[in-house]
Amino acid sequence: MTTSLLMTLQVNVMPPQNIGAVPLGTRRIVPISGGVFEGRLQGTVLPGGSADWLLLRADGVLELDLRVTLKTHDGALISMRSFGLRHGPPEIIAALGRGEPVDPATYYFRTTPRFQTADPAYAFLNRLVAVASGDRRPEGPVYTIHELL
Amino acid sequence: MNSRPLMLLRLTTAPTEEVGVTPHGRLSIFPVTGGSFEGERLRGKVLAGGGDWVTRRADGALELDLRVTLETDDGALIYMTFTGVRDDAHRYFRTVPRFETAAPGYAFLNRLIAVGIGDVRAEGPVHIIEEIL
């Protein structure tokens, strides 16, 4: 497998909506208020179409289902969707839950972004599969996104 | 990013069901009749009954949507899906597999993110699937 760095995406999160225990697990929705990205493309995250739908499963694994709208510095809109998983030792996950800074190498946070855009300059995004490593900082997650070559 | 090989997946298919042009694009359904998978940590066969729902987009790329059931050589059943893109004009064939199993010996599959590299061979497509570490 070879990859190429595409961008770093930093997302600002708002307090979660705790839906609670649903048949599939514990549902939590995290609205996104903004963010920035830089790399082969750069710009900001638009709120409104952006949130992360989380499901904590019975086996302790957190499923993440992220949708964000990105706006590039040159005005292109890009819709990004990303499914991922997060899990780790209980004390590490508990520290994350308390909003503490935690070394991302101590837990597993990996996602698989896909993109949709109508802007010809960014059409290459429509055709690629990406994989990202997440760092759940207290102010919000940072994703290092790589194109799968 | 680091990865570790997971399996090589081969699929056999029945004649394609050409649904035709729908509002999403041109839909072709590839019924899966069988196949095999092999890797250091798991190996076995692909059961009949799954399929790949392939949509040809307006830009010519194919959007893949596969569901199959795997049976390991020690009798465990694993539900596998993948989505992905196949764009022959750019020689790009990449998938994102996901797994669900109740078998304790294979529960690690429920907890990993994987990617697949598709390779079109004379005998049919082969998927080289790696675990993202």
Side-chain angles (χ1 to χ4, degrees), chain B residues 53-67:
Chain B
W53 283 257
V54 178
T55 302
R56 179 176 292 275
R57 305 178 332 196
D59 65 352
L62 302 176
E63 206 55 62
L64 313 172
D65 184 6
L66 177 96
R67 295 181 192 231

Side-chain angles (χ1 to χ4, degrees), chain B residues 41-43 72-76 78 101 103-110:
Chain B
R41 291 175 275 177
L42 69 165
R43 66 197 59 79
T72 65
D73 53 0
D74 53 355
I78 300 164
T101 186
Y106 298 97
F108 69 92
L109 294 170
N110 295 329

Side-chain angles (χ1 to χ4, degrees), chain B residues 111-130:
Chain B
R111 307 166 62 83
L112 57 81
I113 290 293
V115 294
I117 295 157
D119 186 19
V120 182
R121 302 185 181 174
E123 66 271 24
V126 160
H127 298 271
I128 301 156
I129 298 172
E130 309 213 351

Side-chain angles (χ1 to χ4, degrees), chain B residues 1-131:
Chain B
M1 296 197 71
N2 294 320
S3 63
R4 182 181 165 190
L6 186 61
M7 62 166 78
L8 189 78
L9 173 72
R10 294 182 169 87
L11 301 167
T12 62
T13 57
T16 310
E17 297 162 354
E18 296 285 0
V19 177
V21 178
T22 75
H24 291 159
R26 177 174 294 278
L27 177 61
S28 304
I29 303 171
F30 293 78
V32 167
T33 52
S36 64
F37 60 97
E38 60 189 59
E40 202 180 284
R41 291 175 275 177
L42 69 165
R43 66 197 59 79
K45 61 188 182 192
V46 179
L47 301 183
D52 196 354
W53 283 257
V54 178
T55 302
R56 179 176 292 275
R57 305 178 332 196
D59 65 352
L62 302 176
E63 206 55 62
L64 313 172
D65 184 6
L66 177 96
R67 295 181 192 231
V68 290
T69 304
L70 310 178
E71 184 181 295
T72 65
D73 53 0
D74 53 355
L77 292 182
I78 300 164
Y79 170 48
M80 173 182 162
T81 65
F82 69 53
T83 58
V85 176
R86 179 173 165 179
D87 182 359
D88 289 343
H90 293 86
R91 260 176 290 166
Y92 193 79
F93 187 178
R94 301 287 182 266
T95 64
V96 182
R98 286 166 62 172
F99 303 92
E100 284 181 35
T101 186
Y106 298 97
F108 69 92
L109 294 170
N110 295 329
R111 307 166 62 83
L112 57 81
I113 290 293
V115 294
I117 295 157
D119 186 19
V120 182
R121 302 185 181 174
E123 66 271 24
V126 160
H127 298 271
I128 301 156
I129 298 172
E130 309 213 351
E131 171 189 7

